[in-house]
Structure formats: C-alpha cells, structure tokens
C-alpha cells in the first residue's frame, strides 16, 4: 500500500489481489497499556457483536469512554477515508489517531506484531485480501449489525475479517489529448496509443498494476489459472512503445504526461472530478478483461481500544459509512443490498462507471501462483 505523493495506490508485498463475489521485523513487543485488551480490563475485548456486549448504546458509551481509535495506513484521499474519519470522530466525539497513512498492508501486520499490547498498537486494519486471509490469528471475530446483508463469500463466517469496499480495473483517458479513448484492454495495443499508456506502478509490487496484468490475461485467452497471456500482452504493449515507463499520479495526469492510465475505477473517477475544469478524464471499465478487488476490515485482537474498534466497524458497515465509501467512488460491499433497499445514495451511484458482465475472482492459491509468474517474467517481458 505504498502511495505516490499525489495518487494513492495499494502495493503488494505478496500478491494483495483477490476476493470473491459480486465485487520488517516481526518480533512481538508486549508492554501492556492502560486500555489494552490483553490486560483483561475491558469486556468489549471479547465481544463478538454489539448485542453480545450489552447493546449498541453500551458500545457507544464504552467507546466514548475510551476516547481514542488507532487506525493505520488510511490516506485521506483514498476512497474518501479523510471524510470517513472526520464523520466518525464528529459523530461520537472520539479522537482518531492515524498512523503511517502511506503504509502498506504488510506495514499494518508488522505494527500489530511489533507493538503487541501497547497503547500505540492499531485498533483496526484495512488490508489487501491476501493479507487478511494470511493473518487471521491476529484478529478478534466480530459481527456488525448489518453482517447478514454482506454476501457470505465476502466475509469470514465468524467475522474475523469482512470485505469493505473495492472496485474494477478501469481505463482513464484524457479525451483532450486522445481523440478516441480506448474502452477495452485490446484497444491499448493500437498504434494510435503510442507513448500514452501507463500502469499505476510495477505489477510485482502494486496491486492495481498486478490486477491490470490479470485483466490483460482475461482479455487475451488467459484465465484465473493462467496469467501468462497477460504478461505477454503487456510485454507486447511495452515493446511497441505504447507503455510508458512512468508511474502515474495526479500531477502526471494534469500535465498530460500520462494521458491513459490503468487503475481502479474509484481512483480514475476521482481524477475526473479533480480535472473537470481543465479537461474531460473519461473512465471505462473494460468488458474484455473484467477484474475486481475488495479490501478487508479486521479488528486487532489486542486492540488497545476494543470498544472504539468495534464501534468503528459498526459505523463503516452502516448505510452512512457505506455511502461515504460510495462518495469516494468506491463500491461498498453492501451496495447490492442497499440498492435493493433504497438506502444507497442514487446520485453517488450514478457517478460510477457502468459495468457490463460479471467479474471473475481468483482464489488465494491462484493469486499466489500468478504472483510468482509475474515476479519471474515481468522485467524480461517488458524490457
């Protein structure tokens, strides 16, 4: 989850791509703080639901008494997290300490392990799916009030982790500089796009770039079991001169240096809003390589503020919290249920680029195998 100064992106340490549905040192330091769950002094540390802990009013009261929530690796311009944090803090009067906003999923896991039961430890985590799946022993199971409206494939059955928001690989395009914007992955190989196409990062490190390679595979005869055609496709795009060796961000988009960018749709749509006074940044979700990813929430089992951690989860998965992610152009995990129930903000929903078809999602084993292929072959293919 390393992020550029102007344009955030999640970064892989191992492949942080994959979900399912409709869309350092690791030594443990243990110095207990006054509100540490390990001290046994807070009954909310073991509560698996608000009801089980005494009800929502009791949870709110306990969280307010704790007074603080520790979050990590949440940049304010990523999926509207700045406004989400402010809304939570304003609503409940709880101070949110945001550590290492430009950190990665691995940084989050390292912080949990290194800080142990210290008061500085993260209360909650927002992780790439492979990190969520690979560290379940670090989490406290918890089911929010809206748990039943979250698809079964997008959550641990006991609530150890739950997908929160996500998006689709998309093609952003400056229509002022590119008269006919590409709408499919295969379009990107056309001669008219010479020196115009950029991936958001190195696919051996950046989740969105890695997902773009997989989307390329799906568009060129590959599958979730075979990402090699995607490496081959992007290799040909590079060798033709279409692929820029530039890491895109808001500054390169505004200057015209990267007129076509492959990235998550919520980040590309955000560029549309930023630049609408200067140029039209069009966004298309390619139908020939439909690929989506969700991130996941989890509560640190040693959360120093266990009630605030659980209240944060309740807020995020409420209609209010889900609509705040939607305002960030991300697709919240309860979007289908909220659309059916009429609680999704219709104006915000209309701002999302249309999606045709059903996305395919890799298993963890497929993701691990694909990551090895990309790591071993990307540099040679695109040199």
């Amino acid at each position: 989850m390393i992020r550029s100064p102007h344009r955030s992106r999640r970064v892989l340490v191992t492949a942080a791509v994959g979900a399912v549905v409709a869309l350092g040192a690791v030594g443990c330091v243990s110095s207990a703080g006054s509100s540490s769950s390990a001290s046994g002094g807070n009954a909310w540390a073991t509560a698996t639901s608000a009801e089980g802990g005494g009800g929502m009013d009791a949870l709110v009261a306990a969280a307010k008494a704790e007074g603080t929530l520790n979050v990590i690796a949440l940049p304010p311009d990523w999926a509207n997290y700045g406004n989400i944090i402010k809304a939570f803090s304003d609503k409940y009067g709880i101070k949110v300490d945001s550590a290492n906003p430009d950190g990665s999923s691995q940084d989050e896991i390292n912080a949990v392990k290194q800080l142990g039961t210290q008061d500085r430890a993260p209360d909650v985590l927002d992780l790439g799916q492979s990190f969520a799946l690979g560290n379940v022993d670090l989490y406290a199971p918890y089911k929010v009030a809206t748990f039943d409206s979250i698809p079964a494939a997008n959550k641990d059955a006991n609530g150890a982790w739950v997908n929160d928001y996500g998006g689709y690989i998309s093609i952003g395009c400056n229509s002022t500089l590119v008269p006919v914007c590409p709408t499919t992955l295969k379009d990107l190989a056309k001669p008219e796009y010479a020196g115009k196409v950029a991936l958001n990062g190195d696919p051996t490190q950046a989740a969105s770039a890695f997902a773009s390679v997989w989307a390329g595979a799906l568009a060129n005869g590959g599958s979730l079991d075979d990402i090699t055609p995607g490496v081959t496709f992007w290799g040909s795009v590079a060798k033709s001169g279409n692929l820029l060796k530039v890491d895109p961000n808001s500054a390169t988009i505004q200057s015209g240096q990267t007129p076509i960018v492959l990235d998550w749709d919520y980040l590309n749509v955000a560029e549309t809003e930023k630049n609408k006074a200067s140029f039209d940044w069009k966004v298309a979700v390619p139908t020939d390589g439909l690929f989506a990813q969700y991130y996941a929430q989890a509560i640190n089992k040693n959360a120093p503020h266990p009630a605030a951690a659980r209240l944060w989860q309740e807020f995020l998965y409420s209609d209010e919290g889900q609509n705040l992610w939607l305002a960030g152009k991300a697709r919240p995990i309860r979007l289908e249920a909220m659309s059916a129930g009429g609680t999704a903000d219709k104006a915000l929903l209309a701002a999302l680029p249309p999606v045709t078809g059903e996305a395919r999602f890799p298993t963890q084993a497929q993701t691990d195998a694909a990551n090895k292929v990309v790591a071993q072959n990307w540099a040679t293919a695109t040199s």
Side-chain angles (χ1 to χ4, degrees):
M1 210 191 316
I2 297 170
R3 299 169 175 96
S4 63
H6 303 285
R7 185 177 174 81
S8 302
R9 69 173 184 271
R10 300 263 179 167
V11 170
L12 295 160
V13 177
T14 60
V17 175
V20 251
V21 292
L23 188 58
V26 294
C28 179
V29 177
S30 178
S31 63
S34 61
S35 58
S36 171
S37 64
S39 70
N42 191 324
W44 284 102
T46 56
T48 57
S49 69
E51 182 180 5
M56 186 61 72
D57 289 345
L59 176 59
V60 172
K64 286 183 174 182
E66 290 174 349
T68 302
L69 174 75
N70 295 345
V71 302
I72 183 171
L74 300 183
D77 59 349
W78 177 277
N80 204 32
Y81 259 122
N83 287 325
I84 291 171
I85 289 171
K86 183 179 186 302
F88 175 80
S89 184
D90 289 349
K91 183 170 186 173
Y92 296 111
I94 293 171
K95 178 186 177 184
V96 178
D97 282 338
S98 182
N100 194 11
D102 292 327
S104 69
S105 291
Q106 187 63 55
D107 290 333
E108 296 183 61
I109 297 301
N110 289 348
V112 170
K113 292 180 177 180
Q114 291 167 354
L115 295 175
T117 59
Q118 295 184 46
D119 283 347
R120 296 186 298 117
D123 288 305
V124 289
L125 305 167
D126 182 287
L127 299 161
Q129 185 68 13
S130 67
F131 290 95
L133 293 172
N135 295 280
V136 175
D137 60 327
L138 300 179
Y139 316 146
Y142 185 77
K143 295 183 179 181
V144 294
T146 57
F147 191 78
D148 289 345
S149 67
I150 299 166
N154 290 90
K155 60 191 178 187
D156 173 78
N158 295 316
W161 61 266
V162 183
N163 286 147
D164 43 16
Y165 63 91
Y168 292 82
I169 283 298
S170 66
I171 303 170
C173 173
N174 184 333
S175 63
T176 300
L177 300 178
V178 183
V180 180
C181 286
T183 58
T184 68
L185 272 297
K186 289 184 177 180
D187 282 345
L188 300 173
K190 294 179 178 179
E192 63 204 79
Y193 302 127
K196 290 183 169 64
V197 181
L199 292 174
N200 191 11
D202 182 332
T204 65
Q205 300 178 39
S208 59
F210 179 78
S212 296
V213 176
W214 222 329
L218 298 177
N220 289 277
S223 68
L224 297 184
D225 291 312
D226 184 13
I227 199 172
T228 299
V231 177
T232 302
F233 168 73
W234 283 108
S236 67
V237 174
K239 287 179 170 59
S240 71
N242 286 19
L243 185 62
L244 292 164
K245 299 301 176 72
V246 176
D247 194 3
N249 55 46
S250 291
T252 67
I253 289 172
Q254 290 163 10
S255 70
Q257 187 180 4
T258 54
I260 299 173
V261 174
L262 276 287
D263 208 346
W264 300 118
D265 59 346
Y266 50 92
L267 297 182
N268 265 328
V269 173
E271 292 296 337
T272 301
E273 293 294 317
K274 290 179 187 176
N275 298 298
K276 62 184 178 182
S278 302
F279 55 85
D280 184 13
W281 183 257
K282 292 185 176 180
V283 181
V285 175
T287 56
D288 60 342
L290 201 59
F291 193 95
Q293 174 191 16
Y294 284 95
Y295 291 96
Q297 284 287 322
I299 297 172
N300 179 2
K301 70 179 181 182
N302 289 322
H305 311 101
R310 285 157 176 79
L311 184 60
W312 171 253
Q313 301 298 306
E314 294 287 356
F315 178 75
L316 292 181
Y317 291 99
S318 69
D319 288 350
E320 181 181 0
Q322 296 278 289
N323 274 316
L324 283 168
W325 267 321
L326 189 57
K329 317 304 180 188
R331 299 172 193 265
I333 195 60
R334 294 184 53 242
L335 183 57
E336 185 175 351
M338 289 170 60
S339 296
T343 57
D345 188 301
K346 293 181 175 58
L348 296 176
L349 190 57
L352 298 179
V355 174
T356 302
E358 188 171 334
R360 291 175 272 181
F361 300 87
T363 64
Q364 187 62 38
Q366 289 171 323
T367 299
D368 291 343
N371 186 50
K372 289 179 182 178
V373 171
V374 174
Q376 291 169 0
N377 298 289
W378 180 256
T380 301
T382 57
S383 63

